[in-house]
Structures are given as structure tokens and as C-alpha cells.
Amino acid sequence: MKRGTGRVLLLGMLCGFGLGVPLRAADSGAKSVDAAWEKAFRAADLEGVVACYAPDAILWLPNAPEARGTKAIREAYAGFFSTYRIDGVTLRKTGYETRDSLSVGWGEFEMRLTPRAGGDPTTMVGRFTALARPLGDRWVYFVDHASAGPAPQPAANP
């Protein structure tokens, strides 16, 4: 082996050479969409939330019908924002993987909400999985699935 060839091979492996997997910044892909969604959702910014989705995206919210495409996603969030005042939202236990033009994110969410019609504040907790892809110079969701968290487990008897 010629001198330097080993370095070229090592560099190629470190850069994903031959795998088709370019290195990505830690904040790209689904992680960047989650950050934009969280900021817009916290502000109840309907158009900011909708901008996080591809025109042909699919959204599944807990206990709601499928929303497919920009119009349906806008209507789903408009209904949510007209029903609740957003007191806070947190994404936690998140994980992300990005390969080429596909990125996945997952984790848990907690939303603190107050019904606009009156009543006590409530907290909604659940899990999410989202798939993102590039659209122009940014990443957007093309599948976003959220589900209610599991029912609390009964306390163990001593």
C-alpha cells in the first residue's frame, strides 16, 4: 500500500465515503423542524406551525382524524388553537437520525393548555414520531404522528 493511501481510506470512512451518508450538522433534519415547530406552537403561530410541514404531509394528532396536506393541517391546528390557549410545550427524551434526505425524530411531549371556553388548565402528555425531508433550503415534516401517553400504572402494593 502506498504511503498516504491508509489516510485517504480512513478519511473516506470517517466522512461516510462509499455509504452515501454525508455528515450533517447536529441541528439539521427533524431536530431543526422540531425546534421551529416548538417555537411556533408555543406562540400559537398558526402559519409558523403550518410552515413546518411539506405540502403533501400527513399529520396524526391524538384522538383526531388524519390531516393530509396543507389545508387540512392548517384546519387541524386552527381548531386546536381556537380551543386551547397554549401555556407551554416541552419536547423531551428526544432522539434523531438523519441520512441523506431523510430524517426521523422521536420523543415525548408535554403541553400545558387552558380551555378558551373556560375551565381548569390541563396537561396533555404523549409520544411523537416525525419524518422530515428537505424542501428548498430547509427541512419539513412529511409525516408527523403524535399519540397520547400510556395510562398511569397502578401503584404496586407493598
Side-chain angles (χ1 to χ4, degrees):
M1 183 182 287
K2 288 184 179 178
R3 184 175 172 94
T5 304
R7 287 188 208 139
V8 171
L9 289 174
L10 177 60
L11 181 60
M13 289 187 304
L14 291 174
C15 293
F17 182 73
L19 298 177
V21 182
L23 296 177
R24 302 270 187 203
D27 62 349
S28 68
K31 186 174 183 178
S32 66
V33 188
D34 279 355
W37 179 92
E38 188 175 2
K39 179 180 178 183
F41 190 87
R42 186 176 286 120
D45 173 4
L46 178 61
E47 293 309 313
V49 169
V50 172
C52 293
Y53 293 85
D56 59 344
I58 298 170
L59 170 66
W60 289 296
L61 294 174
N63 304 313
E66 174 184 286
R68 185 182 291 263
T70 301
K71 181 180 177 189
I73 290 169
R74 181 178 284 110
E75 289 171 359
Y77 279 112
F80 193 88
F81 291 150
S82 69
T83 303
Y84 296 104
R85 184 184 77 220
I86 310 305
D87 298 323
V89 63
T90 303
L91 302 180
R92 61 180 181 245
K93 296 185 181 177
T94 56
Y96 300 96
E97 289 287 331
T98 299
R99 299 285 186 266
D100 293 327
S101 60
L102 177 64
S103 184
V104 62
W106 62 90
E108 298 176 350
F109 65 84
E110 179 179 305
M111 296 177 184
R112 292 161 306 285
L113 311 165
T114 300
R116 291 192 185 276
D120 293 329
T122 187
T123 300
M124 180 186 297
V125 295
R127 300 173 280 202
F128 71 92
T129 306
L131 296 172
R133 67 180 181 220
L135 179 66
D137 63 350
R138 63 192 175 96
W139 287 82
V140 293
Y141 297 131
F142 68 96
V143 176
D144 184 9
H145 181 249
S147 60
Q153 298 296 311
N157 291 330

